[in-house]
């Protein structure tokens, strides 16, 4: 059993598309909330994740995902 099994069930229940390129801001928020719970992330870990994400994304994608 993988950890992501809970994401599959949760994403199906919440109608989050399987392909993240099709996610809305709400889908991203939902995924982040799930990841925080699933992996017991602290605020510091989340900030680090977002900073790394910002560096790796183009400004066009980042503007779409900012919430």
């Amino acid at each position: 059993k993988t950890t992501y099994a809970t994401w599959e069930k949760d994403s199906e229940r919440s109608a989050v598309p399987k392909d993240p390129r099709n996610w809305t801001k709400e889908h991203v928020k939902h995924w982040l909330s799930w990841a925080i719970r699933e992996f017991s992330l602290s605020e510091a870990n989340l900030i680090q994740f977002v900073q790394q994400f910002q560096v790796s994304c183009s400004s066009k994608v980042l503007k779409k995902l900012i919430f």
Side-chain angles (χ1 to χ4, degrees), residues 1-16 18 30-31 33-40:
K1 179 180 171 183
T2 63
T3 302
Y4 289 101
T6 62
W7 169 246
E8 287 188 22
K9 292 176 186 176
D10 196 84
S11 64
E12 285 177 13
R13 186 174 43 250
S14 302
V16 176
K18 288 191 180 277
H30 186 81
W31 177 80
S33 294
W34 170 85
I36 290 166
R37 288 188 314 274
E38 185 70 21
F39 299 109
S40 302

